[in-house]
mmCIF file with all atom_site columns, all heavy atoms in Angstrom:
data_model
loop_
_atom_site.group_PDB
_atom_site.id
_atom_site.type_symbol
_atom_site.label_atom_id
_atom_site.label_alt_id
_atom_site.label_comp_id
_atom_site.label_asym_id
_atom_site.label_entity_id
_atom_site.label_seq_id
_atom_site.pdbx_PDB_ins_code
_atom_site.Cartn_x
_atom_site.Cartn_y
_atom_site.Cartn_z
_atom_site.occupancy
_atom_site.B_iso_or_equiv
_atom_site.pdbx_formal_charge
_atom_site.auth_seq_id
_atom_site.auth_comp_id
_atom_site.auth_asym_id
_atom_site.auth_atom_id
_atom_site.pdbx_PDB_model_num
ATOM 1   N N   . PHE L 1 12 ? -3.145  1.505  8.778   1.00 93.00 ? 12 PHE L N   1
ATOM 2   C CA  . PHE L 1 12 ? -3.037  2.406  7.638   1.00 93.00 ? 12 PHE L CA  1
ATOM 3   C C   . PHE L 1 12 ? -3.121  1.575  6.364   1.00 93.00 ? 12 PHE L C   1
ATOM 4   O O   . PHE L 1 12 ? -2.434  0.577  6.210   1.00 93.00 ? 12 PHE L O   1
ATOM 5   C CB  . PHE L 1 12 ? -1.712  3.169  7.699   1.00 93.00 ? 12 PHE L CB  1
ATOM 6   C CG  . PHE L 1 12 ? -1.376  3.880  6.426   1.00 93.00 ? 12 PHE L CG  1
ATOM 7   C CD1 . PHE L 1 12 ? -2.164  4.917  5.964   1.00 93.00 ? 12 PHE L CD1 1
ATOM 8   C CD2 . PHE L 1 12 ? -0.288  3.493  5.674   1.00 93.00 ? 12 PHE L CD2 1
ATOM 9   C CE1 . PHE L 1 12 ? -1.861  5.565  4.776   1.00 93.00 ? 12 PHE L CE1 1
ATOM 10  C CE2 . PHE L 1 12 ? 0.027   4.139  4.494   1.00 93.00 ? 12 PHE L CE2 1
ATOM 11  C CZ  . PHE L 1 12 ? -0.761  5.171  4.047   1.00 93.00 ? 12 PHE L CZ  1
ATOM 12  N N   . PRO L 1 14 ? -2.757  1.966  2.278   1.00 92.00 ? 14 PRO L N   1
ATOM 13  C CA  . PRO L 1 14 ? -2.361  2.844  1.177   1.00 92.00 ? 14 PRO L CA  1
ATOM 14  C C   . PRO L 1 14 ? -2.944  2.465  -0.182  1.00 92.00 ? 14 PRO L C   1
ATOM 15  O O   . PRO L 1 14 ? -2.574  3.053  -1.194  1.00 92.00 ? 14 PRO L O   1
ATOM 16  C CB  . PRO L 1 14 ? -0.836  2.673  1.160   1.00 92.00 ? 14 PRO L CB  1
ATOM 17  C CG  . PRO L 1 14 ? -0.643  1.244  1.555   1.00 92.00 ? 14 PRO L CG  1
ATOM 18  C CD  . PRO L 1 14 ? -1.725  0.975  2.568   1.00 92.00 ? 14 PRO L CD  1
ATOM 19  N N   . ASP L 1 15 ? -3.854  1.508  -0.232  1.00 88.00 ? 15 ASP L N   1
ATOM 20  C CA  . ASP L 1 15 ? -4.303  0.959  -1.514  1.00 88.00 ? 15 ASP L CA  1
ATOM 21  C C   . ASP L 1 15 ? -4.895  1.981  -2.486  1.00 88.00 ? 15 ASP L C   1
ATOM 22  O O   . ASP L 1 15 ? -4.679  1.871  -3.681  1.00 88.00 ? 15 ASP L O   1
ATOM 23  C CB  . ASP L 1 15 ? -5.323  -0.156 -1.303  1.00 88.00 ? 15 ASP L CB  1
ATOM 24  C CG  . ASP L 1 15 ? -4.665  -1.487 -0.988  1.00 88.00 ? 15 ASP L CG  1
ATOM 25  O OD1 . ASP L 1 15 ? -3.416  -1.528 -0.904  1.00 88.00 ? 15 ASP L OD1 1
ATOM 26  O OD2 . ASP L 1 15 ? -5.383  -2.480 -0.829  1.00 88.00 ? 15 ASP L OD2 1
ATOM 27  N N   . ASP L 1 16 ? -5.654  2.933  -2.032  1.00 88.00 ? 16 ASP L N   1
ATOM 28  C CA  . ASP L 1 16 ? -6.321  3.852  -2.956  1.00 88.00 ? 16 ASP L CA  1
ATOM 29  C C   . ASP L 1 16 ? -5.568  5.165  -3.167  1.00 88.00 ? 16 ASP L C   1
ATOM 30  O O   . ASP L 1 16 ? -6.117  6.118  -3.708  1.00 88.00 ? 16 ASP L O   1
ATOM 31  C CB  . ASP L 1 16 ? -7.752  4.130  -2.479  1.00 88.00 ? 16 ASP L CB  1
ATOM 32  C CG  . ASP L 1 16 ? -8.620  2.899  -2.612  1.00 88.00 ? 16 ASP L CG  1
ATOM 33  O OD1 . ASP L 1 16 ? -8.625  2.297  -3.702  1.00 88.00 ? 16 ASP L OD1 1
ATOM 34  O OD2 . ASP L 1 16 ? -9.276  2.511  -1.634  1.00 88.00 ? 16 ASP L OD2 1
ATOM 35  N N   . GLY L 1 19 ? 0.218   6.493  -7.026  1.00 88.00 ? 19 GLY L N   1
ATOM 36  C CA  . GLY L 1 19 ? 1.503   5.818  -6.933  1.00 88.00 ? 19 GLY L CA  1
ATOM 37  C C   . GLY L 1 19 ? 2.537   6.630  -6.183  1.00 88.00 ? 19 GLY L C   1
ATOM 38  O O   . GLY L 1 19 ? 3.275   6.103  -5.335  1.00 88.00 ? 19 GLY L O   1
ATOM 39  N N   . VAL L 1 29 ? 6.378   5.072  6.558   1.00 95.00 ? 29 VAL L N   1
ATOM 40  C CA  . VAL L 1 29 ? 6.094   3.890  7.375   1.00 95.00 ? 29 VAL L CA  1
ATOM 41  C C   . VAL L 1 29 ? 7.396   3.128  7.666   1.00 95.00 ? 29 VAL L C   1
ATOM 42  O O   . VAL L 1 29 ? 7.636   2.694  8.793   1.00 95.00 ? 29 VAL L O   1
ATOM 43  C CB  . VAL L 1 29 ? 5.057   2.985  6.668   1.00 95.00 ? 29 VAL L CB  1
ATOM 44  C CG1 . VAL L 1 29 ? 4.987   1.614  7.284   1.00 95.00 ? 29 VAL L CG1 1
ATOM 45  C CG2 . VAL L 1 29 ? 3.694   3.643  6.694   1.00 95.00 ? 29 VAL L CG2 1
ATOM 46  N N   . GLU L 1 30 ? 8.233   2.997  6.643   1.00 95.00 ? 30 GLU L N   1
ATOM 47  C CA  . GLU L 1 30 ? 9.517   2.322  6.840   1.00 95.00 ? 30 GLU L CA  1
ATOM 48  C C   . GLU L 1 30 ? 10.392  3.106  7.819   1.00 95.00 ? 30 GLU L C   1
ATOM 49  O O   . GLU L 1 30 ? 11.015  2.516  8.702   1.00 95.00 ? 30 GLU L O   1
ATOM 50  C CB  . GLU L 1 30 ? 10.239  2.147  5.505   1.00 95.00 ? 30 GLU L CB  1
ATOM 51  C CG  . GLU L 1 30 ? 9.594   1.108  4.615   1.00 95.00 ? 30 GLU L CG  1
ATOM 52  C CD  . GLU L 1 30 ? 10.198  1.054  3.220   1.00 95.00 ? 30 GLU L CD  1
ATOM 53  O OE1 . GLU L 1 30 ? 10.729  2.083  2.736   1.00 95.00 ? 30 GLU L OE1 1
ATOM 54  O OE2 . GLU L 1 30 ? 10.113  -0.010 2.596   1.00 95.00 ? 30 GLU L OE2 1
ATOM 55  N N   . TYR L 1 34 ? 6.965   1.133  11.420  1.00 95.00 ? 34 TYR L N   1
ATOM 56  C CA  . TYR L 1 34 ? 5.578   0.839  11.775  1.00 95.00 ? 34 TYR L CA  1
ATOM 57  C C   . TYR L 1 34 ? 5.040   -0.352 10.978  1.00 95.00 ? 34 TYR L C   1
ATOM 58  O O   . TYR L 1 34 ? 5.132   -0.381 9.761   1.00 95.00 ? 34 TYR L O   1
ATOM 59  C CB  . TYR L 1 34 ? 4.715   2.070  11.522  1.00 95.00 ? 34 TYR L CB  1
ATOM 60  C CG  . TYR L 1 34 ? 3.291   1.903  11.962  1.00 95.00 ? 34 TYR L CG  1
ATOM 61  C CD1 . TYR L 1 34 ? 2.999   1.613  13.284  1.00 95.00 ? 34 TYR L CD1 1
ATOM 62  C CD2 . TYR L 1 34 ? 2.250   2.006  11.065  1.00 95.00 ? 34 TYR L CD2 1
ATOM 63  C CE1 . TYR L 1 34 ? 1.696   1.446  13.707  1.00 95.00 ? 34 TYR L CE1 1
ATOM 64  C CE2 . TYR L 1 34 ? 0.946   1.852  11.474  1.00 95.00 ? 34 TYR L CE2 1
ATOM 65  C CZ  . TYR L 1 34 ? 0.669   1.566  12.794  1.00 95.00 ? 34 TYR L CZ  1
ATOM 66  O OH  . TYR L 1 34 ? -0.613  1.392  13.199  1.00 95.00 ? 34 TYR L OH  1
ATOM 67  N N   . VAL L 1 37 ? 0.448   -1.643 8.618   1.00 95.00 ? 37 VAL L N   1
ATOM 68  C CA  . VAL L 1 37 ? 0.043   -1.352 7.246   1.00 95.00 ? 37 VAL L CA  1
ATOM 69  C C   . VAL L 1 37 ? -0.677  -2.564 6.688   1.00 95.00 ? 37 VAL L C   1
ATOM 70  O O   . VAL L 1 37 ? -0.235  -3.704 6.855   1.00 95.00 ? 37 VAL L O   1
ATOM 71  C CB  . VAL L 1 37 ? 1.260   -1.017 6.355   1.00 95.00 ? 37 VAL L CB  1
ATOM 72  C CG1 . VAL L 1 37 ? 0.818   -0.661 4.956   1.00 95.00 ? 37 VAL L CG1 1
ATOM 73  C CG2 . VAL L 1 37 ? 2.066   0.102  6.965   1.00 95.00 ? 37 VAL L CG2 1
ATOM 74  N N   . HIS L 1 41 ? -7.200  -4.619 -0.263  1.00 82.00 ? 41 HIS L N   1
ATOM 75  C CA  . HIS L 1 41 ? -7.766  -5.210 -1.482  1.00 82.00 ? 41 HIS L CA  1
ATOM 76  C C   . HIS L 1 41 ? -6.773  -5.210 -2.632  1.00 82.00 ? 41 HIS L C   1
ATOM 77  O O   . HIS L 1 41 ? -7.149  -5.218 -3.789  1.00 82.00 ? 41 HIS L O   1
ATOM 78  C CB  . HIS L 1 41 ? -9.072  -4.507 -1.872  1.00 82.00 ? 41 HIS L CB  1
ATOM 79  C CG  . HIS L 1 41 ? -8.965  -3.026 -2.027  1.00 82.00 ? 41 HIS L CG  1
ATOM 80  N ND1 . HIS L 1 41 ? -8.944  -2.168 -0.949  1.00 82.00 ? 41 HIS L ND1 1
ATOM 81  C CD2 . HIS L 1 41 ? -8.858  -2.240 -3.118  1.00 82.00 ? 41 HIS L CD2 1
ATOM 82  C CE1 . HIS L 1 41 ? -8.838  -0.922 -1.386  1.00 82.00 ? 41 HIS L CE1 1
ATOM 83  N NE2 . HIS L 1 41 ? -8.775  -0.938 -2.695  1.00 82.00 ? 41 HIS L NE2 1
ATOM 84  N N   . ALA L 1 48 ? 5.349   -2.013 -3.978  1.00 89.00 ? 48 ALA L N   1
ATOM 85  C CA  . ALA L 1 48 ? 4.779   -1.623 -2.680  1.00 89.00 ? 48 ALA L CA  1
ATOM 86  C C   . ALA L 1 48 ? 4.444   -2.856 -1.848  1.00 89.00 ? 48 ALA L C   1
ATOM 87  O O   . ALA L 1 48 ? 4.616   -2.834 -0.621  1.00 89.00 ? 48 ALA L O   1
ATOM 88  C CB  . ALA L 1 48 ? 3.536   -0.769 -2.870  1.00 89.00 ? 48 ALA L CB  1
ATOM 89  N N   . ARG L 1 50 ? 6.046   -5.706 -1.622  1.00 91.00 ? 50 ARG L N   1
ATOM 90  C CA  . ARG L 1 50 ? 7.275   -6.177 -0.959  1.00 91.00 ? 50 ARG L CA  1
ATOM 91  C C   . ARG L 1 50 ? 7.642   -5.272 0.211   1.00 91.00 ? 50 ARG L C   1
ATOM 92  O O   . ARG L 1 50 ? 8.028   -5.750 1.281   1.00 91.00 ? 50 ARG L O   1
ATOM 93  C CB  . ARG L 1 50 ? 8.416   -6.251 -1.966  1.00 91.00 ? 50 ARG L CB  1
ATOM 94  C CG  . ARG L 1 50 ? 8.285   -7.402 -2.953  1.00 91.00 ? 50 ARG L CG  1
ATOM 95  C CD  . ARG L 1 50 ? 9.515   -7.533 -3.845  1.00 91.00 ? 50 ARG L CD  1
ATOM 96  N NE  . ARG L 1 50 ? 9.597   -6.472 -4.835  1.00 91.00 ? 50 ARG L NE  1
ATOM 97  C CZ  . ARG L 1 50 ? 8.952   -6.476 -6.000  1.00 91.00 ? 50 ARG L CZ  1
ATOM 98  N NH1 . ARG L 1 50 ? 8.184   -7.487 -6.320  1.00 91.00 ? 50 ARG L NH1 1
ATOM 99  N NH2 . ARG L 1 50 ? 9.088   -5.471 -6.846  1.00 91.00 ? 50 ARG L NH2 1
ATOM 100 N N   . VAL L 1 58 ? 0.413   -6.491 6.194   1.00 93.00 ? 58 VAL L N   1
ATOM 101 C CA  . VAL L 1 58 ? -0.375  -7.617 5.689   1.00 93.00 ? 58 VAL L CA  1
ATOM 102 C C   . VAL L 1 58 ? -0.954  -7.270 4.328   1.00 93.00 ? 58 VAL L C   1
ATOM 103 O O   . VAL L 1 58 ? -1.402  -6.149 4.096   1.00 93.00 ? 58 VAL L O   1
ATOM 104 C CB  . VAL L 1 58 ? -1.529  -7.935 6.672   1.00 93.00 ? 58 VAL L CB  1
ATOM 105 C CG1 . VAL L 1 58 ? -2.405  -9.050 6.154   1.00 93.00 ? 58 VAL L CG1 1
ATOM 106 C CG2 . VAL L 1 58 ? -0.980  -8.275 8.045   1.00 93.00 ? 58 VAL L CG2 1
ATOM 107 N N   . SER L 1 66 ? -2.954  -3.004 -9.361  1.00 66.00 ? 66 SER L N   1
ATOM 108 C CA  . SER L 1 66 ? -3.452  -1.968 -10.262 1.00 66.00 ? 66 SER L CA  1
ATOM 109 C C   . SER L 1 66 ? -2.870  -2.099 -11.663 1.00 66.00 ? 66 SER L C   1
ATOM 110 O O   . SER L 1 66 ? -3.534  -1.791 -12.649 1.00 66.00 ? 66 SER L O   1
ATOM 111 C CB  . SER L 1 66 ? -3.150  -0.580 -9.692  1.00 66.00 ? 66 SER L CB  1
ATOM 112 O OG  . SER L 1 66 ? -1.763  -0.440 -9.470  1.00 66.00 ? 66 SER L OG  1
ATOM 113 N N   . THR L 1 67 ? -1.644  -2.590 -11.768 1.00 71.00 ? 67 THR L N   1
ATOM 114 C CA  . THR L 1 67 ? -1.015  -2.758 -13.075 1.00 71.00 ? 67 THR L CA  1
ATOM 115 C C   . THR L 1 67 ? -1.781  -3.775 -13.917 1.00 71.00 ? 67 THR L C   1
ATOM 116 O O   . THR L 1 67 ? -2.071  -3.530 -15.090 1.00 71.00 ? 67 THR L O   1
ATOM 117 C CB  . THR L 1 67 ? 0.451   -3.204 -12.906 1.00 71.00 ? 67 THR L CB  1
ATOM 118 O OG1 . THR L 1 67 ? 1.118   -2.284 -12.058 1.00 71.00 ? 67 THR L OG1 1
ATOM 119 C CG2 . THR L 1 67 ? 1.164   -3.274 -14.236 1.00 71.00 ? 67 THR L CG2 1
ATOM 120 N N   . PHE L 1 69 ? -4.873  -4.618 -13.556 1.00 72.00 ? 69 PHE L N   1
ATOM 121 C CA  . PHE L 1 69 ? -6.193  -4.071 -13.861 1.00 72.00 ? 69 PHE L CA  1
ATOM 122 C C   . PHE L 1 69 ? -6.140  -3.203 -15.112 1.00 72.00 ? 69 PHE L C   1
ATOM 123 O O   . PHE L 1 69 ? -6.979  -3.318 -15.999 1.00 72.00 ? 69 PHE L O   1
ATOM 124 C CB  . PHE L 1 69 ? -6.722  -3.249 -12.686 1.00 72.00 ? 69 PHE L CB  1
ATOM 125 C CG  . PHE L 1 69 ? -8.004  -2.533 -13.011 1.00 72.00 ? 69 PHE L CG  1
ATOM 126 C CD1 . PHE L 1 69 ? -9.217  -3.197 -12.957 1.00 72.00 ? 69 PHE L CD1 1
ATOM 127 C CD2 . PHE L 1 69 ? -7.992  -1.197 -13.385 1.00 72.00 ? 69 PHE L CD2 1
ATOM 128 C CE1 . PHE L 1 69 ? -10.386 -2.544 -13.275 1.00 72.00 ? 69 PHE L CE1 1
ATOM 129 C CE2 . PHE L 1 69 ? -9.163  -0.531 -13.711 1.00 72.00 ? 69 PHE L CE2 1
ATOM 130 C CZ  . PHE L 1 69 ? -10.366 -1.212 -13.646 1.00 72.00 ? 69 PHE L CZ  1
ATOM 131 N N   . LYS L 1 72 ? -5.770  -5.338 -18.190 1.00 80.00 ? 72 LYS L N   1
ATOM 132 C CA  . LYS L 1 72 ? -7.042  -5.973 -18.550 1.00 80.00 ? 72 LYS L CA  1
ATOM 133 C C   . LYS L 1 72 ? -7.997  -4.959 -19.158 1.00 80.00 ? 72 LYS L C   1
ATOM 134 O O   . LYS L 1 72 ? -8.723  -5.256 -20.099 1.00 80.00 ? 72 LYS L O   1
ATOM 135 C CB  . LYS L 1 72 ? -7.687  -6.615 -17.321 1.00 80.00 ? 72 LYS L CB  1
ATOM 136 C CG  . LYS L 1 72 ? -6.962  -7.843 -16.845 1.00 80.00 ? 72 LYS L CG  1
ATOM 137 C CD  . LYS L 1 72 ? -7.603  -8.358 -15.569 1.00 80.00 ? 72 LYS L CD  1
ATOM 138 C CE  . LYS L 1 72 ? -6.756  -9.454 -14.972 1.00 80.00 ? 72 LYS L CE  1
ATOM 139 N NZ  . LYS L 1 72 ? -7.287  -9.910 -13.686 1.00 80.00 ? 72 LYS L NZ  1
ATOM 140 N N   . TRP L 1 73 ? -8.020  -3.767 -18.593 1.00 77.00 ? 73 TRP L N   1
ATOM 141 C CA  . TRP L 1 73 ? -8.910  -2.725 -19.096 1.00 77.00 ? 73 TRP L CA  1
ATOM 142 C C   . TRP L 1 73 ? -8.575  -2.365 -20.540 1.00 77.00 ? 73 TRP L C   1
ATOM 143 O O   . TRP L 1 73 ? -9.447  -2.186 -21.368 1.00 77.00 ? 73 TRP L O   1
ATOM 144 C CB  . TRP L 1 73 ? -8.816  -1.490 -18.198 1.00 77.00 ? 73 TRP L CB  1
ATOM 145 C CG  . TRP L 1 73 ? -9.652  -0.344 -18.647 1.00 77.00 ? 73 TRP L CG  1
ATOM 146 C CD1 . TRP L 1 73 ? -10.991 -0.195 -18.439 1.00 77.00 ? 73 TRP L CD1 1
ATOM 147 C CD2 . TRP L 1 73 ? -9.220  0.801  -19.363 1.00 77.00 ? 73 TRP L CD2 1
ATOM 148 N NE1 . TRP L 1 73 ? -11.417 0.981  -18.999 1.00 77.00 ? 73 TRP L NE1 1
ATOM 149 C CE2 . TRP L 1 73 ? -10.347 1.611  -19.585 1.00 77.00 ? 73 TRP L CE2 1
ATOM 150 C CE3 . TRP L 1 73 ? -7.997  1.217  -19.853 1.00 77.00 ? 73 TRP L CE3 1
ATOM 151 C CZ2 . TRP L 1 73 ? -10.279 2.812  -20.267 1.00 77.00 ? 73 TRP L CZ2 1
ATOM 152 C CZ3 . TRP L 1 73 ? -7.933  2.414  -20.537 1.00 77.00 ? 73 TRP L CZ3 1
ATOM 153 C CH2 . TRP L 1 73 ? -9.063  3.190  -20.722 1.00 77.00 ? 73 TRP L CH2 1
#
Side-chain angles (χ1 to χ4, degrees):
F12 167 65
D15 278 2
D16 291 310
V29 166
E30 289 173 333
Y34 185 59
V37 182
H41 55 281
R50 288 186 288 277
V58 177
S66 57
T67 306
F69 173 81
K72 289 176 189 176
W73 178 80

